[in-house]
Amino acid sequence: MNGNPRKAGTRSLTPRAAQTPGADGPSPWRRAKIGAIGFAIVLVVGILLMLTGGKKDKQSADEPAPKSTATSQAGGTGPGVKARSVQDGVPVGYPQTKDGAAAAAVNFQTARSSPTYFTDEGLRHQVLKTVMTPAALPVQQQTDDQTAKGLMAALGVTAQTAPDMVLRAAPLGTSVSAFSSETATVKVWMTEVVGVPTDKSAMPVAATWSTYTLILQWQSGDWKVATISQANGPTPLVTGDSAPSATADMRLANKEFDAPRYAG
């Protein structure tokens, strides 16, 4: 470009720090994420106060169990860990162990990382009802509804372009920083590919890296999410051995490759 060597590699949605005043600002996706994270922090504090100030949720013995379907395809991570069934499209039923908590955290976050999760409000609410504790559900649902609305606006997604939207996420690792038989804190390092592969897209397909921290509680015989928070990175260097793919190639790849829905 204009005689300068072209930098190649994966395009990151995380902007580099400005070197001089007036340098380019954050991308629309980054602004949407920052806004969502800031809003989520306030809500997380509210959830913690609510959880510590109230009685612990328990499902009564005579309350009917949620409908689920046993399947060998339910995902899981860790040595020998596998979910027992799938409920509303989400693997559920994990052992009351550290590996069980890590598996639940990975699959629950993966369930929140698909295009339809952001474009289909009904599906989003179903997923959250499945993975969240009853006390945390209203706040997380409000948070994710606002995040979805902001992301769609940042990407310029319309009813016509929604089918072309790319949103893929893959876990890179987990860290269980705290664990007991009743609660666990799990960090999930993930990479995400987000954008709309059209020539006039407000946000071409690009990559970002995030760490999600999920606080899980053992309720009604399974792990449920009490809080979710997000931080940027760790983010790798841009590689220099390959150039970003053309828009048409990215659109074709999104249709050709099925995304693994869950880990394990």
Side-chain angles (χ1 to χ4, degrees), residues 2 20 46 48 74 90-91 93 97 113 115 120 125 140 162 174 195 209 251 253:
N2 297 327
T20 58
L48 290 174
V90 183
T97 63
S113 305
D120 187 334
H125 291 180
Q140 193 64 48
T174 60
W209 288 262
R251 184 165 54 246

Side-chain angles (χ1 to χ4, degrees), residues 116-137:
T116 51
Y117 185 83
F118 289 90
T119 60
D120 187 334
E121 182 180 276
L123 173 67
R124 182 166 62 250
H125 291 180
Q126 273 189 340
V127 169
L128 288 174
K129 186 177 180 180
T130 300
V131 306
M132 304 299 298
T133 66
L137 176 60

